[in-house]
Amino acid sequence: MKIPPLISYLGKSIGFGLTVAALLLLMFPDFRGGAQLPGLITNARDLSFSYAAHRAGPAVVNIYTRSFARNQGNQAELRPQGLGSGVIMNPRGHVLTNYHVIADADQIIVALQDGRVFSAELVGTDQLTDLAVLYIESDNLPVIPQDPDRLPDVGDVVLAIGNPYNVGQTITQGIISATGRIGLSSMGPDSNGRQDLLQTDAAINEGNSGGALVNGRGDLVGINTAAYHLNSNQESYGISFAIPYKLAKRIMDELIANGRVIRGYLGISSVEINPIVARMMNLGDLRGLVIENLDPNGPAARGGLARGDVLLKINGEAISGVRSAMDKIVESRPGTKLTISVFRDGKPLELQVTIEEDLRYQQKQQNKNKNKNKGNANASAAAAS
């Protein structure tokens, strides 16, 4: 009698499975008593992030700010101003925090988790990325673990560490919800103030600003900076942001070296070439950026670039997108000569452009301060009359 193929296949599969099971029981006798496989988590209580918390927590500090104010006797006295967190980045005592945490402070106090308290010195600030570097002088400082080769990705588990509402160090857990959130804070004029923000659903409340966002190993992933609010009376839970570690570290290094961040300026705004733009402009398979506008007094105009030019390469490297091109420009030191390869009127061209320092944000702030001072002077004059 011939056995149907399906029954034969099932019989062979079952026989093979039983043979493998018997061999495993012979090799691992402990399995006969219902033992678990090594490393297998079968109970939610076994899942813990205590290793990451204990590894990173000591390097996250509380920051308190005070500012001078006039009392009833018209005498200046220091009064509490604000609250935030910070991260000890190296054994030399440099602490990274948010600019808005220490803005307008006359005194900055840094408190460690081991009970030590320091008066901090302000090294430098960068308003465009909302970062500030402080310095405290001490030995045996805990330093946040850092792994520059480990890039955050959507879905990674993260912990937000800080001092929300001054209740003491608190750790909240979530995941990275998105990466590359650009322009969600005050980034200055047009696209040169680019900032890649990480989005997370880990709770970041008042006092968490400047604290650490770490991964499941305790390595620094970002500097907590903001939570998204629909309005002043309503909180939007699950939408918070952090400045990525690599950007924060680069800004910190510049502030330590120069006291400020020096950005290159080309003076263009551009749009990436997609298939629709390529078809409209008869560009075929060309990929790059199309210059939409340019500063008539900027380096690009002086170097011969024109509206409608297609940017293909910078110093021989193909342009992969707006962000990569802006990175190359902004990170170029003033005085650097860049060779820009463009496509104009059906012909390839190479132009040399000298990068300048981007001072537009400083000029904008100066104009804002002038208008503020003028308004205060007018108000004083009106009060006097």
Side-chain angles (χ1 to χ4, degrees), residues 41 115 229 282 326:
I41 296 175
H229 300 281
N282 296 319
M326 295 310 299

Side-chain angles (χ1 to χ4, degrees), residues 5 37 42 109 114 143-144 160 191 194 208 220 237 277 280 302 304 310 349 366:
L37 288 171
T42 58
I109 305 297
D114 60 11
V143 177
I144 194 82
S191 57
R194 82 271 178 270
N208 274 107
L220 185 64
Y237 296 101
V277 174
M280 289 174 60
R302 285 198 294 273
V310 179
L349 294 173
Q366 288 172 2

Side-chain angles (χ1 to χ4, degrees), residues 217-232:
R217 290 171 35 87
D219 298 321
L220 185 64
V221 170
I223 301 296
N224 300 326
T225 188
Y228 179 72
H229 300 281
L230 292 175
N231 58 52
S232 58

Side-chain angles (χ1 to χ4, degrees), residues 27-338:
M27 293 172 64
F28 304 101
D30 289 343
F31 286 177
R32 298 174 190 175
Q36 297 177 5
L37 288 171
L40 180 65
I41 296 175
T42 58
N43 192 320
R45 290 177 299 179
D46 296 329
L47 184 62
S48 171
F49 297 103
S50 62
Y51 172 76
H54 287 99
R55 193 165 176 244
V60 182
V61 301
N62 301 345
I63 295 178
Y64 304 93
T65 60
R66 299 198 293 176
S67 58
F68 283 107
R70 295 284 177 182
N71 59 19
Q72 291 181 348
N74 201 30
Q75 294 177 326
E77 64 179 11
L78 278 171
R79 294 180 181 175
Q81 179 195 20
L83 168 72
S85 303
V87 181
I88 301 176
M89 297 293 291
N90 57 47
R92 302 192 303 278
H94 290 111
V95 178
L96 193 57
T97 186
N98 286 148
Y99 167 77
H100 74 261
V101 168
I102 54 83
D104 302 322
D106 293 308
Q107 185 181 43
I108 304 170
I109 305 297
V110 171
L112 274 63
Q113 304 308 314
D114 60 11
R116 286 182 285 174
V117 178
F118 303 92
S119 180
E121 175 188 337
L122 180 60
V123 176
T125 64
D126 183 56
Q127 290 180 254
L128 290 182
T129 50
D130 192 25
L131 288 171
V133 177
L134 311 176
Y135 172 74
I136 56 175
E137 188 172 356
S138 182
D139 298 325
N140 302 318
L141 291 171
V143 177
I144 194 82
Q146 299 165 53
D147 184 357
D149 296 325
R150 190 180 180 92
L151 298 177
D153 201 0
V154 173
D156 286 352
V157 173
V158 288
L159 309 176
I161 309 176
N163 180 28
Y165 304 114
N166 201 27
V167 299
Q169 188 171 95
T170 301
I171 299 175
T172 57
Q173 178 262 330
I175 64 169
I176 292 179
S177 308
T179 60
R181 294 300 193 216
I182 301 174
L184 294 171
S185 62
S186 176
M187 296 306 297
D190 61 61
S191 57
N192 259 23
R194 82 271 178 270
Q195 180 180 29
D196 273 335
L197 291 177
L198 301 174
Q199 181 181 323
T200 177
D201 62 352
I204 297 176
N205 298 300
E206 183 180 349
N208 274 107
S209 292
L213 189 72
V214 302
N215 59 24
R217 290 171 35 87
D219 298 321
L220 185 64
V221 170
I223 301 296
N224 300 326
T225 188
Y228 179 72
H229 300 281
L230 292 175
N231 58 52
S232 58
N233 299 317
Q234 181 178 0
E235 293 202 18
S236 302
Y237 296 101
I239 305 179
S240 302
F241 301 100
I243 302 163
Y245 163 71
K246 281 198 168 184
L247 173 60
K249 176 69 163 55
R250 189 162 66 237
I251 296 296
M252 183 189 76
D253 290 342
E254 280 228 36
L255 290 175
I256 293 172
N258 305 312
R260 63 190 180 96
V261 178
I262 300 172
R263 291 176 169 86
Y265 176 63
L266 184 60
I268 63 169
S269 62
S270 58
V271 61
E272 198 165 330
I273 298 176
N274 56 37
I276 296 174
V277 174
R279 193 177 304 116
M280 289 174 60
M281 298 185 65
N282 296 319
L283 298 176
D285 295 329
L286 284 178
R287 289 294 176 265
L289 308 176
V290 178
I291 297 179
E292 283 190 314
N293 292 294
L294 75 166
D295 179 354
N297 300 313
R302 285 198 294 273
L305 289 170
R307 188 172 180 273
D309 283 351
V310 179
L311 274 62
L312 304 175
K313 296 179 181 179
I314 298 177
N315 281 351
E317 292 184 25
I319 294 172
S320 59
V322 174
R323 283 167 53 190
S324 66
M326 295 310 299
D327 281 341
K328 287 186 177 70
I329 294 165
V330 173
E331 291 165 14
S332 297
R333 305 295 290 183
T336 301
K337 293 185 182 297
L338 298 182

